[in-house]
Every structure is written in structure tokens, then in C-alpha cells.
Amino acid sequence: MTTQEIERIAVLTSGGDAPGMNPAIRAVVRTALSHNLEVYGVERGYDGLIHGAFSKLEARDVGGIIQRGGTMLLSGRSKEFRTKRGQLDAIHQLNKHDIDALVVIGGDGSLTGAYALSQQGVNVVGIPASIDNDIWGTNISIGVDTALNTIMDAVDKLRDTASSHQRAFLIETMGRECGYLAVMAGIIGGAETVLIPEVDISLEEVANAVADAYKRGKTHAIIIVAEGAGIKIQELARYLDEADVGFKTRVTILGHIQRGGRPSAFDRLLASRMGVRAVEAIMDGKFGVMVGLRGRKMALVPLEEVVANTRRANLEYYSMTRMLAR
Ligand code: F6P
């Protein structure tokens, strides 16, 4: 399809919401309008696509959202879309609404869905948005920076009470399969130990590290546990209390608080750049790609490559958490 034939595009957000999705929607809509395209927002991610939840978006419809967390288009994890029937229904709706290209803003599952559509001839461009930072092909995804700032703030506050009571605080971060947030939180929050899905560590090793910190005169300890780590946080707390490591323990699960809040300056900028680049890709007739930050530049990465690879926590950074915990 040539640029001349692109007249109408649609945009949706899918999967776990990430702070910065709204600025990305705004950038897609306004860039498209500046190219004289019509833009439709699809509500509730792929479920809305299957059931035809399209509505036309104008410049004013995306006003006042740049600073808001969540997504004005709503999001979801669609089981129906994972089926062939669901995908065919989605394509039927795209055709029915004369949509020439679709922008999908979401995480790895959403981009896998985008790839499935592109395999069936739909013109798709993806934008990576997930606090987990587990998407291949981009240095960082929309939402990660805000989530890390939220975690840092929580760890700082928990450290105040940890040091006042000479306790070990066990703090759980999100990340079912990827320990990125936990490792980075470990560095910026000054953790004693970090537990992530990518590295096996025994209860005994953690207990020894914490007991050793106590013997070295530390007044408190911060232990970051990724939600997908092999050891569950409550089990670890019980073990440390029984092993008598010096500190008494307390557990805090940060949970969905990490997904909310105003997008940081970094995320607003990243989302705006990615939204603009996604529409430029459409204007250039480049489909089946995801916009990624490579170095300091925006690049187009084939969706095929994105979904064929998995991105996990950087083990060099993991070693750094250990070295800095002296
Ligand atoms: O993928 C983002 C994420 O927040 C993960 O870190 C977490 O494991 C998961 O979503 C939680 O999903 P839900 O909001 O569906 O419980």
C-alpha cells in the first residue's frame, strides 16, 4: 500500500497498562491528524477490536491526558483474540471500518498479537509499553522509568522505617519472568540482596548475606524480590526469622502501585517520540514493525524479531548489586 492510499488509522492499548500510554496515544493521534489522516481509537484493547469498539478521535479528544497514568482507551488481556476466530473477527472489524493501518501500544503479549495480525495482511506498527522492560528490540519500553521512580520512592520510605527499627525489609517488585525492575531497584535503592527469576539462589545464601551484613554493623537491610523469583517472599521472611540473621523482617508487596501514577518526564518524551515515529512509519509504508529506542535514536524493528526473542535482566547489573552491597 502506498502512502496515498492510507487515509484512516486506528490505535489501541493492550495488556497491563503502563504510565506513558496516554502520551503515546496523544502523539499518534496528533501526528496522524497533521498528515490529514483520520484516526480511530479502539477501546479495551483486542477485545474492543473484536467487538467493534471504534470511535473517531480529534485533537481535542487527546487534550489534557499527557500527564495522566493508565490509558484513556482502556486496556485488557483478551483471551478471545488468542484464537483464530477472534483474530478473524478483529480483521473483519478493521475492514468494516475501512482502517488502513493499526497502531498497537502494549507489552510482549500485545506485540505477539500485532505480529499475528500482520501475518494475516494487516498493516500494523507496534509501540512497546510495559513496566517490565522485557520487550526485545528496544533499550527501554514506555512505563519503565515511571515504575522505577515509584519503586525508588517506596524503597526510600521503607528504608527510613527499616533503619529506625533495625529491620530487614523484604520488598516485592513486579516482573513475572523478567527481573529488570528488581535489579535496577536493587542498584538505585541500595539493596543488600536481589532475587530474580533469572538467577537461582538458595534461602541459605540469602540468610548468610543478611547475617553477614548484620555482623558488618549494618543497621538495616533491604532485600528486593521480583515477583517471579524462585523463592516466594513470605517463605523467605519466615526462613530469615527462623535462621535468626540479626534483623527481624517485614514484608512489603508493592503490587499494582508500580503501574500507576503520572508518567515521568522521560516516559512522556519517549512515548511522544515513539508515537510520532509510528505514524511516520505508516506514512512510509513500513509495516510489521515495532518502534524501538536503539542508542539515542528511534528505530523500526521487525515484529518477527521482537516476538522471536526474549529480553531478560542484565546479569552485569545483577553482579553490580552484589558488589555495591558491601
Ligand atoms: O506485564 C506487566 C505486569 O504488571 C507484570 O509485571 C505483572 O506480573 C502483571 O502485569 C500483572 O498482571 P495483572 O494486572 O493482570 O494482574
Side-chain angles (χ1 to χ4, degrees), residues 193-196 199-210 223 225 229-232 235-236 239-240 243 245 318 322:
T193 307
V194 178
L195 283 77
I196 55 174
V199 176
D200 283 333
I201 185 167
S202 67
L203 287 163
E204 199 182 359
E205 279 174 284
V206 182
N208 287 343
V210 178
I223 297 153
V225 184
I231 298 173
K232 295 298 147 215
E235 182 193 357
L236 179 60
Y239 187 91
L240 293 182
V245 289
Y318 176 76
R322 306 205 117 186

Side-chain angles (χ1 to χ4, degrees), residues 16-17 77 130-132 134 174-176 181 227 256 259:
D17 62 319
R77 304 185 195 277
S130 163
I131 66 163
D132 293 353
D134 57 350
M174 274 191 167
R176 258 185 305 226
L181 285 176
E227 74 176 312
H256 286 79
R259 289 235 297 261

Side-chain angles (χ1 to χ4, degrees), residues 94-277:
L94 287 167
N95 292 335
K96 188 172 148 192
H97 289 83
D98 284 330
I99 303 295
D100 301 314
L102 173 70
V103 178
V104 172
I105 305 170
D108 54 353
S110 310
L111 296 166
T112 302
Y115 178 60
L117 286 179
S118 82
Q119 287 287 84
Q120 292 166 75
V122 178
N123 292 329
V124 189
V125 176
I127 294 182
S130 163
I131 66 163
D132 293 353
N133 215 25
D134 57 350
I135 302 169
W136 177 269
T138 184
N139 299 351
I140 191 158
S141 300
I142 294 169
V144 175
D145 182 68
T146 307
L148 262 184
N149 276 290
T150 301
I151 296 169
M152 181 175 74
D153 188 49
V155 173
D156 287 352
K157 285 177 174 147
L158 291 169
R159 181 186 292 284
D160 288 345
T161 174
S163 60
S164 302
H165 287 269
Q166 297 180 292
R167 284 173 175 161
F169 262 75
L170 280 57
I171 305 169
E172 185 182 288
T173 62
M174 274 191 167
R176 258 185 305 226
E177 283 154 40
C178 176
Y180 178 93
L181 285 176
V183 168
M184 293 308 175
I187 295 173
I188 63 177
E192 208 49 53
T193 307
V194 178
L195 283 77
I196 55 174
E198 293 88 341
V199 176
D200 283 333
I201 185 167
S202 67
L203 287 163
E204 199 182 359
E205 279 174 284
V206 182
N208 287 343
V210 178
D212 194 55
Y214 185 78
K215 284 186 203 124
R216 296 200 310 276
K218 290 207 172 183
T219 58
H220 62 279
I222 299 287
I223 297 153
I224 306 279
V225 184
E227 74 176 312
I231 298 173
K232 295 298 147 215
I233 197 163
Q234 301 289 2
E235 182 193 357
L236 179 60
R238 266 194 307 276
Y239 187 91
L240 293 182
D241 282 337
E242 278 163 21
D244 204 7
V245 289
F247 304 110
K248 286 289 166 217
T249 65
R250 286 292 184 274
V251 169
T252 302
I253 297 175
L254 297 180
H256 286 79
I257 201 168
Q258 296 160 93
R259 289 235 297 261
R262 298 164 64 228
S264 65
F266 180 90
D267 274 327
R268 293 184 202 192
L269 189 57
L270 181 71
S272 300
R273 291 177 72 195
M274 286 183 165
V276 170
R277 189 69 190 90

Side-chain angles (χ1 to χ4, degrees), residues 19-49:
M21 280 181 161
N22 275 328
I25 296 167
R26 174 181 177 271
V28 168
V29 171
R30 293 194 173 168
T31 309
L33 293 174
S34 76
H35 286 286
N36 297 316
L37 303 178
E38 279 185 21
V39 196
Y40 281 75
V42 182
E43 287 196 349
R44 295 179 286 105
Y46 289 118
D47 266 343
L49 191 58

